[in-house]
């Protein structure tokens, strides 16, 4: 901390004394670290029960305090989402803010840490499903007789902006887009695979590769969304992992946020400790679906821990499941695509 008590750097270590001493050795050549040491006046330890708890507390503090010498995770919650809007003539937009409007027909996939990746996913859906791409506000009963963009003239949009458009047909198109953003990737994957094959046969390999990369961003986003959705919508989940000493690390997760963490030593019955840990865990309000209650990066850290070796599910307040066609297989097949 600086003389005013403001955090300069937040990190984790099993041995704080040893970690701090490394900053005073000749091996530390980073200019910003030397600058930080010259300003720092105090070190404030926060004792954590488990490595996972320490990692998550570090993330939360970096996001909330924005210490000047931390680079990693300072923008952990500065993410984008691809949204199918809830309006008379829905369209796809990129937004940084989730709204509680899924009951009105809105759909979200993400999060993306890159706007370029979000745009790629948007292009893949628009290439497959003829949604409008204009930004104009369109009334339920439009009065214009002239299409507002060239996509209508090319037959890529049925022009919901004109008086005589077939509203039921456009809503059917919107329904296909909603399905493609709700855990079913097959329609998009089949269309883009066909497009790539056509381009490859025409020896337009660079274009085919660009669509392959865009498809990777789309299927990865749908897969991420569904993984995030089930942890974010679970009121309470308790899991345990054995320690090398024969004990247990216990974590209570509520709506995708770590609510409590503790350790049961070897030789002790874990259930009394689990019961006490659940009773004393943080009360957590649900987030806006499909986002978790806390920072999305925290929810993904919890997911990675839950999926790691040796973790056992103790109890869950709801069934845990994933849609069978949510893009997991395609994400593995396109694993060389940079995941964002």
């Amino acid at each position: 901390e600086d003389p005013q008590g403001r955090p300069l750097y937040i990190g984790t270590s099993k041995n704080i004394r040893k970690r701090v001493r490394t900053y005073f050795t000749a091996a530390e050549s980073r200019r910003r670290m030397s600058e930080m040491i010259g300003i720092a006046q105090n070190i404030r330890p926060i004792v954590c029960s488990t490595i996972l708890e320490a990692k998550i507390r570090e993330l939360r503090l970096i996001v909330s305090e924005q210490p000047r010498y931390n680079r990693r995770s300072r923008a952990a919650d500065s993410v984008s989402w691809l949204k199918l809007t809830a309006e008379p003539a829905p369209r796809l937009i990129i937004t940084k803010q989730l709204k509680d409007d899924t009951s009105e027909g809105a759909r979200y996939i993400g999060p993306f840490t890159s706007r370029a990746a979000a745009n790629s996913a948007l292009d893949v859906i628009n290439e497959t499903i003829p949604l409008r791409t204009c930004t104009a506000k369109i009334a339920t009963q439009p009065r214009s007789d002239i299409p507002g963009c060239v996509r209508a003239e090319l037959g890529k949009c049925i022009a919901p902006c004109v008086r005589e458009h077939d509203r039921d047909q456009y809503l059917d198109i919107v329904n296909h887009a909603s399905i493609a953003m709700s855990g079913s990737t097959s329609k998009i994957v089949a269309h883009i695979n066909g497009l790539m094959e056509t381009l490859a046969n025409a020896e337009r390999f660079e274009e085919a590769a660009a669509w392959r990369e865009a498809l990777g961003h789309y299927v990865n986003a749908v897969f991420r969304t569904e993984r995030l959705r089930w942890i974010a919508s679970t009121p309470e989940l308790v899991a345990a992992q054995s320690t090398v000493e024969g004990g247990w690390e216990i974590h209570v997760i509520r709506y995708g946020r770590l609510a409590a963490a503790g350790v049961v030593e070897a030789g002790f019955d874990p259930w009394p400790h689990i019961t006490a840990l659940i009773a004393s865990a943080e009360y957590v309000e649900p987030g806006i679906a499909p986002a978790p209650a806390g920072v999305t990066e925290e929810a993904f850290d919890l997911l990675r821990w839950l999926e790691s070796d040796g973790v056992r599910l103790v109890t869950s307040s709801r069934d845990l499941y994933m849609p069978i066609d949510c893009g997991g297989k395609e994400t593995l097949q396109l694993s060389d695509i940079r995941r964002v």
Side-chain angles (χ1 to χ4, degrees):
E1 297 176 332
D2 67 10
Q4 288 74 43
R6 294 172 299 199
L8 295 170
Y9 182 83
I10 297 168
T12 60
S13 178
K14 292 182 179 180
N15 187 323
I16 294 178
R17 179 183 177 87
K18 185 177 180 180
R19 173 74 179 271
V20 172
R21 288 182 65 183
T22 64
Y23 296 137
F24 293 90
T25 64
E28 178 54 74
S29 59
R30 291 172 295 178
R31 181 178 176 181
R32 65 189 185 91
M33 289 293 103
S34 300
E35 182 180 296
M36 181 189 73
I37 292 301
I39 300 171
Q41 185 167 309
N42 182 49
I43 297 170
R44 180 161 57 94
I46 299 174
V47 179
C48 299
S49 299
T50 67
I51 293 175
L52 179 63
E53 182 190 8
K55 183 177 183 179
I56 286 174
R57 285 188 179 275
E58 176 191 27
L59 172 65
R60 290 179 186 174
L61 286 169
I62 291 173
V63 171
S64 63
E65 301 297 331
Q66 295 288 293
R68 73 176 91 168
Y69 292 100
N70 278 96
R71 291 179 178 174
R72 177 189 171 272
S73 301
R74 285 186 63 175
D77 223 26
S78 179
V79 296
S80 298
W81 297 81
L82 183 58
K83 177 182 181 179
L84 178 66
T85 61
E87 53 184 319
R91 60 193 175 94
L92 293 175
I93 64 170
I94 296 172
T95 181
K96 287 187 174 295
Q97 183 177 8
L98 292 179
K99 295 183 179 180
D100 190 11
D101 53 1
T102 53
S103 61
E104 301 168 18
R107 294 290 180 269
Y108 296 88
I109 60 172
F112 301 88
T113 54
S114 158
R115 191 175 181 89
N119 270 314
S120 291
L122 182 151
D123 289 342
V124 162
I125 297 174
N126 278 335
E127 175 64 28
T128 306
I129 301 170
L131 290 166
R132 72 181 181 101
T133 59
C134 57
T135 59
K137 290 186 177 181
I138 297 177
T140 305
Q141 298 294 333
R143 298 182 179 180
S144 175
D145 293 318
I146 303 173
C149 70
V150 72
R151 276 174 62 88
E153 298 176 11
L154 295 173
K156 292 190 174 183
C157 178
I158 67 166
C161 55
V162 301
R163 190 197 324 256
E164 299 300 325
H165 83 281
D166 187 332
R167 176 169 171 75
D168 289 339
Q169 183 184 359
Y170 190 74
L171 292 180
D172 185 56
I173 290 169
V174 171
N175 183 56
H176 283 297
S178 179
I179 292 170
M181 296 179 69
S182 302
S184 180
T185 62
S186 56
K187 182 180 178 70
I188 304 289
V189 170
H191 180 84
I192 299 300
N193 279 339
L195 175 60
M196 290 190 295
E197 184 177 354
T198 299
L199 290 169
N201 289 338
E203 298 186 357
R204 295 161 63 180
F205 300 116
E206 289 186 4
E207 292 177 62
W211 280 113
R212 184 177 188 272
E213 182 175 357
L215 179 63
H217 288 306
Y218 161 71
V219 295
N220 188 35
V222 175
F223 185 48
R224 283 165 62 87
T225 304
E226 295 308 315
R227 291 179 71 231
L228 192 61
R229 191 189 307 280
W230 74 252
I231 193 172
S233 61
T234 302
E236 183 175 277
L237 186 157
V238 182
Q241 186 174 38
S242 59
T243 65
V244 293
E245 295 84 8
W248 293 96
E249 292 183 350
I250 313 293
H251 296 99
V252 180
I253 301 165
R254 292 174 174 169
Y255 296 114
R257 178 180 171 89
L258 182 64
V263 176
V264 180
E265 300 296 335
F268 288 88
D269 181 1
W271 282 106
H273 188 88
I274 291 171
T275 302
L277 198 63
I278 292 173
S280 62
E282 175 190 357
Y283 173 76
V284 178
E285 289 279 356
I288 299 175
V295 177
T296 54
E297 188 175 326
E298 174 178 336
F300 284 119
D301 282 342
L302 292 170
L303 281 167
R304 283 187 284 271
W305 178 76
L306 287 167
E307 294 165 354
S308 60
D309 292 340
V311 173
R312 297 185 183 182
L313 181 64
V314 177
T315 182
S316 176
S317 58
R318 67 188 292 268
D319 292 336
L320 305 180
Y321 61 88
M322 289 276 287
I324 197 169
D325 186 32
C326 67
K329 179 181 71 174
E330 289 79 12
T331 296
L332 289 175
Q333 291 172 345
L334 300 167
S335 59
D336 58 325
I337 302 300
R338 182 173 178 266
R339 299 178 187 178
V340 292

